[in-house]
Amino acid sequence: MKLVLAIVQDADSDDLIDEITKEGYRVTKVISTGGFLKSGNSTIMIGTDDSEVDRLIELISHNCKVREIIKSIQPMNMPGTSIATLPIKVKVGGATVFVLDVVDFKRF
């Protein structure tokens, strides 16, 4: 048995969960925040048989798209200078997926 953890953008999470549950998998969604952009993410947890991992990864890949956004950042400023934000283009989205071995599993 495996535990698949997928960290995805909030914008992709609802469609992904709909697709995964249509396939008969049980899903748990945990709200999370990314470190660099401090933007909303969802950590999706799915327990499955070893033979189903490739299908899950295919579903995640199909539903989580990379896109470009413009984000304003505040650079370091020197004392006595004004603080101005700089717009930068950043690629967000896609998914980060971890597949973990499950030693034991119980459902009550």
Side-chain angles (χ1 to χ4, degrees), residues 1 19 37 42-43 83 91 95:
M1 178 164 228
E19 288 294 317
L37 296 176
S42 295
T43 300
I83 300 173
K91 287 185 180 181

Side-chain angles (χ1 to χ4, degrees), residues 38-62:
K38 296 178 179 49
S39 60
N41 292 325
S42 295
T43 300
I44 309 297
M45 299 184 291
I46 311 115
T48 190
D49 292 326
D50 293 18
S51 62
E52 296 292 319
V53 171
D54 290 338
R55 177 65 182 143
L56 274 172
I57 290 174
E58 180 182 314
L59 289 169
I60 294 166
S61 174
H62 177 74

